[in-house]
Amino acid sequence: MAKTIEELKAEFHQTYDYFPGVARLIDREHKILAANIKAEKAGFKEGMICAKIGTPESHRECKFEKMFETGKAQTDHAIPDKIRGWYPVEGFPDVCIHFGLPLPEDF
């Protein structure tokens, strides 16, 4: 039996709530389906449009669309002290996980 979106959201929270960076479960329309604790503290709340949060510069070079076009995980280092990533969720072709992870100073 296929997993429901509610089951996926529960799994997301179980896996990402204590992730050391921000993480969001996002649908193809950029709507946040779930956000981990750090993301919520940064203003990313369920139901919001991810691309409308923060400054336009923080979304520059976003690889969200490329991830959906190729079906393959994407990463970048567009922000000097952070790595960002987008990756598909198996069984949910219109959903991805997007994360931002701060790099340690000695990286």
Side-chain angles (χ1 to χ4, degrees):
M1 179 174 252
K3 196 181 312 180
T4 68
I5 196 72
E6 291 306 316
E7 290 170 320
L8 178 63
K9 288 163 68 170
E11 287 178 6
F12 170 87
H13 283 293
Q14 185 176 32
T15 303
Y16 287 98
D17 271 355
Y18 296 98
F19 181 72
V22 296
R24 282 94 64 212
L25 186 66
I26 304 172
D27 73 10
R28 198 170 193 136
E29 303 302 315
H30 300 267
K31 185 171 109 183
I32 299 170
L33 304 174
N36 73 347
I37 293 168
K38 281 194 179 264
E40 286 183 358
K41 287 180 181 176
F44 295 94
K45 306 284 186 207
E46 188 174 323
M48 297 175 86
I49 301 299
C50 186
K52 293 185 178 181
I53 301 165
T55 65
E57 294 80 29
S58 68
H59 299 281
R60 192 168 289 150
E61 299 179 38
C62 176
K63 300 209 183 317
F64 179 87
E65 293 298 334
K66 185 173 183 181
M67 190 278 315
F68 278 113
E69 288 170 14
T70 65
K72 296 183 180 186
Q74 304 292 317
T75 59
D76 76 10
H77 191 279
I79 299 169
D81 61 344
K82 187 181 294 185
I83 187 167
R84 302 184 301 179
W86 301 259
Y87 62 93
V89 177
E90 186 177 343
F92 291 86
D94 292 328
V95 175
C96 77
I97 292 177
H98 176 34
F99 69 88
L101 184 62
L103 296 173
E105 289 181 28
D106 59 350
F107 185 74

XYZ file of all heavy atoms in Angstrom:
860
model
N 0.836 -1.177 0.000
C 0.000 0.000 0.000
C 0.888 1.249 0.000
O 1.896 1.311 0.694
C -0.916 -0.017 1.220
C -1.813 1.199 1.317
S -2.979 1.058 2.663
C -4.437 0.805 1.700
N 0.521 2.221 -0.788
C 1.299 3.451 -0.905
C 1.218 4.273 0.367
O 0.203 4.295 1.062
C 0.791 4.272 -2.090
N 2.295 4.962 0.640
C 2.384 5.828 1.803
C 1.545 7.095 1.568
O 1.515 7.623 0.460
C 3.853 6.207 1.966
C 4.236 6.764 3.280
C 5.711 7.135 3.347
C 6.636 6.070 2.837
N 8.043 6.439 2.912
N 0.899 7.593 2.614
C 0.133 8.836 2.508
C 1.057 10.020 2.768
O 2.154 9.868 3.323
C -1.017 8.883 3.532
O -0.452 8.982 4.853
C -1.924 7.674 3.418
N 0.603 11.194 2.403
C 1.377 12.412 2.659
C 1.538 12.627 4.159
O 2.584 13.089 4.615
C 0.772 13.641 1.934
C 1.782 14.794 1.871
C -0.511 14.084 2.582
C 2.896 14.576 0.923
N 0.531 12.257 4.944
C 0.636 12.399 6.407
C 1.716 11.472 6.964
O 2.464 11.858 7.866
C -0.710 12.152 7.080
C -1.738 13.244 6.794
C -1.258 14.655 7.118
O -0.648 14.857 8.190
O -1.490 15.557 6.286
N 1.816 10.262 6.428
C 2.877 9.340 6.848
C 4.244 9.885 6.447
O 5.207 9.806 7.218
C 2.655 7.954 6.245
C 1.467 7.228 6.837
C 1.100 5.961 6.086
O 1.154 5.961 4.832
O 0.765 4.976 6.768
N 4.325 10.455 5.248
C 5.571 11.055 4.787
C 5.983 12.205 5.700
O 7.146 12.321 6.076
C 5.426 11.540 3.340
C 6.656 12.227 2.751
C 7.838 11.270 2.681
C 6.325 12.795 1.379
N 5.036 13.045 6.069
C 5.339 14.172 6.959
C 5.824 13.678 8.320
O 6.779 14.222 8.884
C 4.108 15.069 7.105
C 3.821 15.866 5.834
C 2.434 16.431 5.779
C 2.141 17.489 6.760
N 0.847 18.162 6.520
N 5.208 12.629 8.840
C 5.638 12.067 10.124
C 7.067 11.534 10.023
O 7.894 11.756 10.921
C 4.676 10.971 10.575
N 7.380 10.849 8.932
C 8.734 10.336 8.715
C 9.736 11.485 8.588
O 10.854 11.403 9.091
C 8.782 9.464 7.473
C 8.135 8.124 7.650
C 8.153 7.283 6.382
O 8.780 7.688 5.372
O 7.532 6.203 6.401
N 9.325 12.547 7.893
C 10.193 13.713 7.747
C 10.555 14.250 9.130
O 11.729 14.489 9.420
C 9.497 14.797 6.910
C 10.244 16.097 6.918
C 11.250 16.335 6.005
C 9.951 17.079 7.848
C 11.964 17.529 6.020
C 10.646 18.281 7.872
C 11.658 18.497 6.957
N 9.568 14.464 9.981
C 9.836 15.007 11.315
C 10.719 14.063 12.128
O 11.635 14.516 12.826
C 8.534 15.306 12.056
C 7.879 16.557 11.591
N 8.429 17.809 11.782
C 6.723 16.760 10.916
C 7.644 18.730 11.267
N 6.602 18.113 10.716
N 10.475 12.780 12.023
C 11.285 11.818 12.757
C 12.750 11.889 12.319
O 13.656 11.793 13.134
C 10.728 10.409 12.540
C 11.431 9.358 13.363
C 10.779 7.996 13.193
O 10.255 7.663 12.128
N 10.814 7.202 14.235
N 12.969 12.092 11.045
C 14.327 12.123 10.501
C 14.995 13.486 10.643
O 16.184 13.566 10.956
C 14.309 11.734 9.005
O 13.705 10.442 8.886
C 15.699 11.719 8.409
N 14.264 14.574 10.422
C 14.884 15.894 10.285
C 14.680 16.882 11.424
O 15.311 17.925 11.431
C 14.407 16.558 8.987
C 15.031 15.933 7.783
C 14.351 14.969 7.053
C 16.318 16.275 7.381
C 14.928 14.366 5.952
C 16.898 15.680 6.292
C 16.204 14.729 5.579
O 16.774 14.130 4.496
N 13.836 16.603 12.389
C 13.598 17.615 13.416
C 14.870 18.040 14.148
O 14.984 19.193 14.544
C 12.517 17.179 14.399
C 11.131 17.583 13.936
O 11.008 18.281 12.901
O 10.158 17.205 14.609
N 15.838 17.159 14.302
C 17.074 17.527 14.999
C 18.278 17.591 14.071
O 19.423 17.614 14.529
C 17.297 16.580 16.184
C 16.181 16.768 17.186
C 15.090 15.901 17.214
C 16.181 17.863 18.046
C 14.044 16.113 18.096
C 15.135 18.077 18.924
C 14.066 17.198 18.942
O 13.022 17.412 19.807
N 18.026 17.679 12.774
C 19.068 17.899 11.761
C 19.760 19.227 12.092
O 19.099 20.182 12.501
C 18.375 17.944 10.391
C 19.285 18.129 9.216
C 20.117 17.108 8.792
C 19.266 19.322 8.500
C 20.920 17.267 7.678
C 20.067 19.495 7.387
C 20.906 18.462 6.978
N 21.074 19.340 11.924
C 21.785 20.562 12.330
C 21.563 21.783 11.434
O 22.080 22.861 11.721
C 23.251 20.140 12.326
C 23.320 18.988 11.391
C 21.985 18.284 11.485
N 20.803 21.648 10.379
C 20.473 22.777 9.514
C 18.977 22.846 9.303
O 18.211 22.104 9.923
N 18.560 23.753 8.432
C 17.131 23.855 8.118
C 16.774 22.799 7.081
O 17.568 22.493 6.197
C 16.742 25.266 7.615
C 16.951 26.305 8.696
C 17.502 25.652 6.370
N 15.592 22.223 7.218
C 15.115 21.229 6.254
C 13.616 21.416 6.090
O 12.903 21.666 7.057
C 15.434 19.816 6.726
N 13.181 21.308 4.834
C 11.758 21.448 4.530
C 11.331 20.375 3.548
O 12.086 20.022 2.650
C 11.454 22.809 3.880
C 11.405 23.961 4.809
C 12.703 24.711 4.922
N 13.144 25.368 3.698
C 14.433 25.515 3.406
N 15.379 25.050 4.169
N 14.792 26.135 2.314
N 10.111 19.913 3.706
C 9.451 19.037 2.752
C 8.579 19.973 1.930
O 7.723 20.667 2.492
C 8.617 18.003 3.510
C 7.958 16.897 2.707
C 9.007 15.977 2.087
C 7.044 16.092 3.626
N 8.811 20.033 0.627
C 8.173 21.044 -0.220
C 7.520 20.382 -1.423
O 8.105 19.475 -2.029
C 9.214 22.071 -0.711
C 9.948 22.694 0.479
C 8.565 23.154 -1.571
C 11.120 23.556 0.074
N 6.337 20.871 -1.797
C 5.707 20.333 -3.002
C 6.141 21.135 -4.220
O 6.832 22.146 -4.114
C 4.180 20.237 -2.858
C 3.443 21.559 -2.910
O 4.030 22.608 -3.252
O 2.237 21.544 -2.587
N 5.741 20.670 -5.380
C 6.169 21.279 -6.642
C 5.693 22.723 -6.804
O 6.239 23.479 -7.599
C 5.693 20.419 -7.808
C 6.440 20.724 -9.059
C 6.122 19.717 -10.124
N 7.098 19.895 -11.172
C 7.712 18.926 -11.785
N 7.464 17.685 -11.465
N 8.577 19.168 -12.735
N 4.685 23.118 -6.038
C 4.175 24.502 -6.082
C 4.891 25.381 -5.064
O 4.433 26.488 -4.779
C 2.668 24.493 -5.820
C 1.870 23.630 -6.791
C 2.055 24.031 -8.248
O 2.014 25.237 -8.540
O 2.254 23.131 -9.088
N 5.977 24.894 -4.486
C 6.803 25.597 -3.501
C 6.151 25.707 -2.120
O 6.626 26.448 -1.275
C 7.211 26.997 -3.983
C 7.999 26.998 -5.241
N 9.372 26.989 -5.250
C 7.608 26.987 -6.543
C 9.791 26.987 -6.510
N 8.748 26.972 -7.310
N 5.065 24.980 -1.899
C 4.387 25.027 -0.601
C 5.100 24.109 0.388
O 5.400 22.957 0.079
C 2.931 24.604 -0.744
C 2.133 24.755 0.539
C 0.659 24.538 0.282
C 0.255 23.238 0.886
N -1.122 22.867 0.665
N 5.355 24.648 1.578
C 6.012 23.873 2.625
C 4.991 22.918 3.233
O 3.968 23.351 3.763
C 6.609 24.800 3.699
C 7.663 25.723 3.072
C 7.198 23.977 4.847
C 8.150 26.833 3.982
N 5.281 21.636 3.139
C 4.413 20.604 3.711
C 4.820 20.295 5.147
O 3.984 19.922 5.965
C 4.475 19.332 2.870
C 4.128 19.496 1.387
C 4.361 18.195 0.646
C 2.703 19.981 1.230
N 6.107 20.440 5.437
C 6.636 20.219 6.783
C 7.983 20.937 6.882
O 8.683 21.090 5.882
C 6.813 18.733 7.068
N 8.314 21.372 8.090
C 9.592 22.049 8.332
C 10.160 21.519 9.644
O 9.416 21.268 10.593
C 9.386 23.558 8.418
N 11.475 21.375 9.689
C 12.081 20.908 10.932
C 12.152 22.063 11.936
O 11.771 23.200 11.640
C 13.438 20.244 10.685
C 14.551 21.204 10.333
O 14.331 22.372 10.021
N 15.770 20.711 10.361
N 12.646 21.771 13.133
C 12.667 22.759 14.210
C 13.460 23.999 13.815
O 12.992 25.126 14.003
C 13.216 22.116 15.504
C 12.232 21.056 16.011
C 13.478 23.168 16.579
C 12.784 20.148 17.103
N 14.661 23.829 13.253
C 15.476 24.990 12.855
C 14.786 25.808 11.775
O 14.837 27.036 11.793
C 16.860 24.550 12.385
C 17.800 24.245 13.512
C 19.218 24.148 12.978
C 20.171 23.870 14.088
N 20.821 25.029 14.622
N 14.153 25.148 10.829
C 13.454 25.868 9.761
C 12.282 26.663 10.324
O 12.063 27.822 9.940
C 12.978 24.901 8.683
N 11.535 26.075 11.237
C 10.415 26.795 11.849
C 10.903 28.028 12.595
O 10.306 29.101 12.503
C 9.622 25.874 12.775
C 8.773 24.892 12.003
C 7.919 24.012 12.897
O 8.012 24.125 14.145
O 7.150 23.217 12.340
N 12.018 27.899 13.317
C 12.588 29.049 14.036
C 13.043 30.135 13.070
O 13.072 31.315 13.422
C 13.744 28.601 14.923
C 13.279 27.842 16.146
C 14.452 27.420 17.011
C 13.959 26.645 18.219
N 15.080 26.141 19.035
N 13.401 29.742 11.845
C 13.837 30.700 10.823
C 12.657 31.288 10.042
O 12.847 32.082 9.126
C 14.821 30.033 9.863
N 11.425 30.895 10.391
C 10.247 31.463 9.751
C 9.591 30.608 8.696
O 8.615 31.023 8.078
N 10.102 29.424 8.456
C 9.510 28.515 7.468
C 8.412 27.703 8.142
O 8.703 26.811 8.934
C 10.569 27.580 6.879
C 11.628 28.280 6.081
C 12.818 28.660 6.673
C 11.431 28.556 4.739
C 13.807 29.295 5.940
C 12.408 29.194 3.993
C 13.592 29.566 4.592
N 7.176 28.005 7.847
C 6.041 27.334 8.478
C 5.247 26.546 7.441
O 5.165 26.934 6.271
C 5.097 28.350 9.131
C 5.760 29.299 10.097
C 6.069 28.641 11.398
C 6.599 29.680 12.377
N 7.464 29.157 13.364
N 4.627 25.457 7.894
C 3.792 24.641 7.037
C 2.723 25.504 6.372
O 2.108 26.352 7.017
C 3.132 23.539 7.871
C 2.405 22.521 7.046
C 1.887 21.353 7.874
O 2.561 20.926 8.822
O 0.787 20.876 7.528
N 2.548 25.301 5.066
C 1.547 26.044 4.299
C 2.089 27.279 3.602
O 1.471 27.787 2.672
N 3.245 27.769 4.034
C 3.838 28.957 3.408
C 4.518 28.569 2.090
O 4.846 27.409 1.869
C 4.864 29.596 4.342
C 4.265 30.100 5.641
S 5.529 30.709 6.780
C 5.676 32.392 6.192
N 4.747 29.570 1.249
C 5.494 29.378 0.010
C 6.973 29.618 0.315
O 7.354 30.728 0.705
C 4.995 30.322 -1.111
C 3.509 30.090 -1.392
C 5.843 30.167 -2.372
C 3.148 28.702 -1.866
N 7.764 28.597 0.146
C 9.177 28.635 0.513
C 9.916 29.816 -0.128
O 10.659 30.516 0.534
C 9.828 27.318 0.113
S 11.529 27.133 0.656
N 9.702 30.031 -1.413
C 10.438 31.054 -2.151
C 10.087 32.482 -1.735
O 10.769 33.422 -2.119
C 10.199 30.882 -3.650
N 9.043 32.661 -0.937
C 8.644 34.004 -0.498
C 9.194 34.347 0.884
O 8.902 35.406 1.418
C 7.125 34.125 -0.497
C 6.537 34.070 -1.895
C 5.062 34.303 -1.880
C 4.526 34.294 -3.304
N 3.099 34.546 -3.348
N 9.981 33.463 1.474
C 10.520 33.679 2.810
C 11.976 34.102 2.684
O 12.741 33.534 1.918
C 10.379 32.400 3.658
C 8.905 32.015 3.742
C 10.978 32.588 5.042
C 8.654 30.619 4.225
N 12.353 35.100 3.452
C 13.722 35.599 3.392
C 13.887 36.600 2.266
O 12.914 37.083 1.687
N 15.116 36.877 1.942
C 15.420 37.854 0.896
C 15.479 37.166 -0.466
O 15.775 35.968 -0.539
C 16.786 38.519 1.160
O 17.809 37.513 1.060
C 16.830 39.172 2.537
N 15.232 37.918 -1.531
C 15.368 37.311 -2.868
C 16.769 36.730 -3.104
O 16.917 35.707 -3.756
C 15.094 38.487 -3.814
C 14.260 39.436 -3.016
C 14.742 39.287 -1.596
N 17.789 37.375 -2.526
C 19.160 36.891 -2.697
C 19.349 35.494 -2.099
O 20.148 34.708 -2.588
C 20.158 37.853 -2.048
C 20.230 39.213 -2.707
C 19.092 40.146 -2.277
O 18.576 40.027 -1.142
O 18.705 40.980 -3.106
N 18.610 35.183 -1.036
C 18.772 33.876 -0.402
C 18.239 32.744 -1.276
O 18.551 31.581 -1.041
C 18.090 33.853 0.969
O 16.692 33.935 0.850
N 17.456 33.090 -2.300
C 16.901 32.078 -3.212
C 17.606 32.079 -4.566
O 17.240 31.312 -5.446
C 15.400 32.317 -3.402
C 14.647 32.214 -2.122
N 14.299 31.013 -1.557
C 14.195 33.181 -1.278
C 13.650 31.240 -0.424
N 13.583 32.535 -0.228
N 18.599 32.928 -4.699
C 19.345 33.007 -5.958
C 20.003 31.667 -6.258
O 20.491 30.994 -5.370
C 20.411 34.104 -5.858
C 21.028 34.433 -7.198
C 21.838 35.690 -7.146
N 20.907 36.816 -7.023
C 21.196 37.944 -6.417
N 22.363 38.131 -5.856
N 20.319 38.915 -6.357
N 19.962 31.291 -7.505
C 20.559 30.042 -7.989
C 19.910 28.798 -7.387
O 20.529 27.732 -7.317
C 22.071 30.038 -7.765
C 22.776 31.165 -8.497
C 24.264 31.175 -8.271
O 24.868 30.080 -8.212
O 24.825 32.272 -8.161
N 18.660 28.905 -6.973
C 17.912 27.773 -6.425
C 17.840 26.658 -7.482
O 17.565 26.910 -8.644
C 16.505 28.228 -6.037
S 15.441 26.903 -5.440
N 18.078 25.441 -7.056
C 18.090 24.298 -7.970
C 16.821 23.442 -7.842
O 16.774 22.304 -8.303
C 19.331 23.461 -7.720
C 20.608 24.257 -7.940
C 21.724 23.374 -8.371
C 23.043 24.046 -8.552
N 23.126 25.274 -9.186
N 15.780 24.014 -7.262
C 14.500 23.343 -7.082
C 13.956 22.832 -8.420
O 13.646 21.656 -8.564
C 13.537 24.346 -6.432
C 12.149 23.861 -6.189
C 11.831 23.194 -5.017
C 11.126 24.117 -7.091
C 10.537 22.772 -4.760
C 9.839 23.703 -6.853
C 9.536 23.027 -5.678
N 13.842 23.709 -9.402
C 13.289 23.324 -10.707
C 14.178 22.310 -11.415
O 13.686 21.366 -12.023
C 13.075 24.552 -11.593
C 11.996 25.495 -11.089
C 10.609 24.872 -11.022
O 10.318 23.915 -11.774
O 9.814 25.347 -10.187
N 15.488 22.477 -11.313
C 16.404 21.535 -11.955
C 16.253 20.141 -11.352
O 16.302 19.134 -12.057
C 17.847 22.015 -11.827
C 18.821 21.138 -12.569
C 20.217 21.706 -12.570
C 21.133 20.822 -13.395
N 22.495 21.315 -13.401
N 16.045 20.071 -10.032
C 15.856 18.786 -9.381
C 14.619 18.092 -9.938
O 14.655 16.914 -10.261
C 15.727 18.986 -7.861
C 15.759 17.703 -7.042
S 14.227 16.753 -6.893
C 13.005 17.963 -6.563
N 13.515 18.852 -10.104
C 12.300 18.238 -10.648
C 12.465 17.877 -12.129
O 11.980 16.847 -12.571
C 11.088 19.141 -10.445
C 10.498 19.033 -9.074
C 10.560 20.091 -8.193
C 9.889 17.858 -8.648
C 10.022 19.989 -6.921
C 9.353 17.741 -7.373
C 9.424 18.810 -6.507
N 13.163 18.713 -12.891
C 13.379 18.420 -14.312
C 14.195 17.146 -14.509
O 13.890 16.331 -15.378
C 14.114 19.582 -14.986
C 13.276 20.818 -15.191
C 14.109 22.013 -15.647
O 15.282 21.821 -16.059
O 13.587 23.134 -15.571
N 15.239 16.977 -13.713
C 16.145 15.841 -13.892
C 15.766 14.632 -13.043
O 16.178 13.517 -13.346
C 17.587 16.237 -13.527
O 17.646 16.550 -12.123
C 18.076 17.409 -14.361
N 15.023 14.867 -11.966
C 14.703 13.785 -11.038
C 15.898 13.359 -10.199
O 15.875 12.325 -9.547
N 16.949 14.195 -10.206
C 18.178 13.873 -9.482
C 18.478 14.941 -8.434
O 18.199 16.122 -8.631
C 19.353 13.776 -10.443
C 19.175 12.646 -11.417
C 20.349 12.484 -12.318
C 19.994 11.325 -13.220
N 20.928 10.869 -14.063
N 19.075 14.495 -7.339
C 19.457 15.412 -6.263
C 20.394 16.492 -6.794
O 21.206 16.240 -7.691
C 20.124 14.644 -5.133
N 20.259 17.679 -6.229
C 21.094 18.823 -6.603
C 21.680 19.424 -5.321
O 21.024 19.423 -4.280
C 20.262 19.899 -7.305
C 19.511 19.425 -8.523
C 20.415 19.051 -9.665
O 21.379 19.759 -9.963
N 20.128 17.937 -10.305
N 22.882 19.936 -5.421
C 23.486 20.667 -4.303
C 24.192 21.892 -4.852
O 24.515 21.967 -6.045
C 24.516 19.815 -3.529
O 25.548 19.406 -4.419
C 23.868 18.609 -2.877
N 24.419 22.848 -3.970
C 25.246 23.996 -4.348
C 25.907 24.578 -3.114
O 25.663 24.157 -1.989
C 24.458 25.043 -5.146
C 23.518 25.893 -4.324
O 23.561 25.859 -3.082
O 22.727 26.623 -4.930
N 26.756 25.537 -3.394
C 27.521 26.238 -2.361
C 27.461 27.719 -2.715
O 28.456 28.432 -2.675
C 28.959 25.698 -2.375
C 29.789 26.113 -1.224
N 30.409 27.333 -1.144
C 30.109 25.458 -0.086
C 31.090 27.409 -0.031
N 30.914 26.283 0.639
N 26.268 28.199 -3.097
C 26.085 29.580 -3.546
C 26.246 30.576 -2.409
O 26.559 31.742 -2.637
C 24.716 29.745 -4.204
N 26.031 30.140 -1.190
C 26.198 30.995 -0.016
C 27.505 30.552 0.639
O 27.689 29.361 0.923
C 24.992 30.826 0.941
C 23.711 31.237 0.205
C 25.181 31.641 2.207
C 22.432 30.867 0.923
N 28.442 31.471 0.869
C 29.792 31.088 1.295
C 29.885 30.152 2.500
O 30.727 29.271 2.522
C 30.464 32.422 1.614
C 29.711 33.420 0.801
C 28.301 32.908 0.724
N 29.022 30.291 3.495
C 29.155 29.483 4.701
C 28.104 28.375 4.806
O 27.835 27.863 5.881
C 29.096 30.367 5.938
C 27.772 31.114 6.071
O 27.024 31.191 5.084
O 27.491 31.616 7.172
N 27.515 28.003 3.656
C 26.428 27.029 3.693
C 26.414 26.178 2.429
O 26.751 26.638 1.348
C 25.100 27.782 3.788
C 23.896 26.910 4.003
C 22.613 27.720 4.061
C 22.594 28.605 5.277
N 21.357 29.327 5.463
N 26.006 24.941 2.599
C 25.720 24.080 1.451
C 24.214 23.868 1.435
O 23.579 23.776 2.481
C 26.482 22.736 1.530
C 26.290 21.938 0.249
C 26.084 21.942 2.744
C 27.225 20.761 0.101
N 23.644 23.870 0.238
C 22.204 23.660 0.095
C 21.974 22.427 -0.762
O 22.798 22.096 -1.609
C 21.536 24.860 -0.601
C 21.738 26.163 0.116
C 21.006 27.312 -0.533
N 21.420 27.522 -1.920
C 20.906 28.467 -2.722
N 19.958 29.264 -2.279
N 21.329 28.604 -3.947
N 20.837 21.786 -0.531
C 20.526 20.610 -1.325
C 19.033 20.453 -1.541
O 18.221 20.928 -0.735
N 18.695 19.801 -2.645
C 17.323 19.484 -3.017
C 17.348 18.046 -3.494
O 18.176 17.677 -4.314
C 16.862 20.355 -4.181
C 16.895 21.813 -3.924
C 15.833 22.618 -3.612
C 18.030 22.700 -3.992
N 16.242 23.917 -3.464
C 17.597 23.997 -3.694
C 19.394 22.509 -4.254
C 18.439 25.100 -3.655
C 20.245 23.597 -4.215
C 19.753 24.871 -3.923
N 16.461 17.223 -2.976
C 16.417 15.865 -3.508
C 15.001 15.317 -3.520
O 14.170 15.680 -2.697
C 17.406 14.930 -2.818
C 17.231 14.700 -1.354
C 16.481 13.637 -0.890
C 17.867 15.517 -0.432
C 16.354 13.392 0.463
C 17.744 15.283 0.928
C 16.988 14.222 1.365
O 16.867 13.989 2.709
N 14.739 14.464 -4.522
C 13.397 13.910 -4.685
C 13.056 12.921 -3.578
O 13.935 12.380 -2.909
C 13.457 13.208 -6.042
C 14.890 12.993 -6.339
C 15.676 13.995 -5.552
N 11.765 12.691 -3.417
C 11.260 11.741 -2.425
C 10.620 10.582 -3.185
O 9.668 10.790 -3.940
C 10.223 12.406 -1.493
C 9.646 11.404 -0.514
C 10.845 13.595 -0.762
N 11.147 9.393 -2.988
C 10.644 8.214 -3.683
C 9.157 8.017 -3.399
O 8.707 8.093 -2.256
C 11.421 6.980 -3.236
C 11.065 5.739 -4.009
C 11.899 4.540 -3.613
O 12.961 4.707 -2.982
O 11.479 3.424 -3.935
N 8.404 7.793 -4.483
C 6.970 7.556 -4.364
C 6.131 8.820 -4.355
O 4.903 8.752 -4.365
N 6.779 9.982 -4.333
C 6.090 11.277 -4.326
C 6.744 12.169 -5.384
O 7.620 12.974 -5.071
C 6.168 11.937 -2.939
C 5.373 11.222 -1.893
C 5.923 10.153 -1.199
C 4.072 11.604 -1.607
C 5.187 9.476 -0.240
C 3.329 10.940 -0.650
C 3.891 9.872 0.034
N 6.362 12.016 -6.652
C 7.046 12.729 -7.735
C 6.918 14.252 -7.682
O 7.685 14.941 -8.346
C 6.397 12.160 -8.997
C 5.084 11.618 -8.550
C 5.284 11.166 -7.127
N 5.987 14.782 -6.904
C 5.807 16.233 -6.812
C 6.251 16.799 -5.474
O 5.804 17.865 -5.053
C 4.337 16.597 -7.070
C 3.938 16.326 -8.507
O 4.809 16.456 -9.401
O 2.782 15.977 -8.757
N 7.161 16.084 -4.797
C 7.641 16.512 -3.484
C 9.161 16.382 -3.442
O 9.732 15.465 -4.028
C 7.011 15.641 -2.366
C 7.580 15.994 -1.007
C 5.495 15.807 -2.352
N 9.801 17.321 -2.738
C 11.242 17.213 -2.528
C 11.582 17.622 -1.102
O 10.773 18.221 -0.404
C 12.020 18.066 -3.520
S 12.049 19.828 -3.181
N 12.780 17.268 -0.703
C 13.333 17.752 0.552
C 14.402 18.764 0.185
O 15.239 18.532 -0.686
C 13.914 16.596 1.391
C 12.760 15.700 1.853
C 14.706 17.146 2.582
C 13.176 14.489 2.621
N 14.330 19.908 0.844
C 15.300 20.979 0.626
C 15.945 21.283 1.967
O 15.260 21.428 2.965
C 14.583 22.213 0.073
C 15.461 23.412 -0.104
N 16.786 23.341 -0.462
C 15.180 24.725 0.029
C 17.279 24.573 -0.544
N 16.317 25.418 -0.246
N 17.274 21.335 1.969
C 17.976 21.623 3.215
C 19.055 22.659 3.004
O 19.531 22.884 1.893
C 18.593 20.336 3.804
C 19.732 19.794 2.989
C 21.030 20.215 3.202
C 19.505 18.849 2.010
C 22.082 19.719 2.439
C 20.548 18.338 1.247
C 21.844 18.780 1.467
N 19.418 23.296 4.075
C 20.560 24.195 4.123
C 21.378 23.810 5.341
O 20.827 23.636 6.432
N 22.672 23.624 5.162
C 23.520 23.177 6.246
C 24.699 24.128 6.378
O 25.477 24.296 5.435
C 24.012 21.758 5.960
C 24.834 21.087 7.040
C 24.012 20.918 8.320
C 25.333 19.744 6.560
N 24.825 24.773 7.542
C 25.976 25.666 7.742
C 27.270 24.862 7.770
O 27.314 23.752 8.306
C 25.702 26.338 9.086
C 24.648 25.539 9.748
C 23.965 24.716 8.708
N 28.296 25.424 7.173
C 29.606 24.763 7.166
C 30.396 25.192 8.389
O 30.374 26.360 8.770
C 30.381 25.129 5.902
C 29.753 24.652 4.593
C 30.506 25.226 3.410
C 29.748 23.136 4.533
N 31.123 24.278 9.015
C 31.957 24.656 10.156
C 33.059 25.605 9.698
O 33.484 25.598 8.537
C 32.549 23.336 10.633
C 32.006 22.263 9.771
C 31.186 22.879 8.702
N 33.535 26.430 10.606
C 34.566 27.413 10.272
C 35.836 26.773 9.736
O 36.524 27.353 8.914
C 34.901 28.263 11.500
C 33.780 29.203 11.862
C 34.122 30.052 13.066
O 35.317 30.319 13.311
O 33.180 30.460 13.747
N 36.158 25.575 10.189
C 37.393 24.925 9.762
C 37.207 24.017 8.552
O 38.044 23.191 8.247
C 38.009 24.128 10.916
C 37.062 23.047 11.443
O 35.888 23.033 11.065
O 37.538 22.224 12.240
N 36.099 24.188 7.813
C 35.808 23.343 6.656
C 36.717 23.673 5.511
O 37.003 24.727 5.140
C 34.337 23.505 6.241
C 33.933 22.589 5.137
C 33.736 21.231 5.375
C 33.727 23.049 3.851
C 33.352 20.377 4.360
C 33.339 22.203 2.831
C 33.159 20.872 3.087
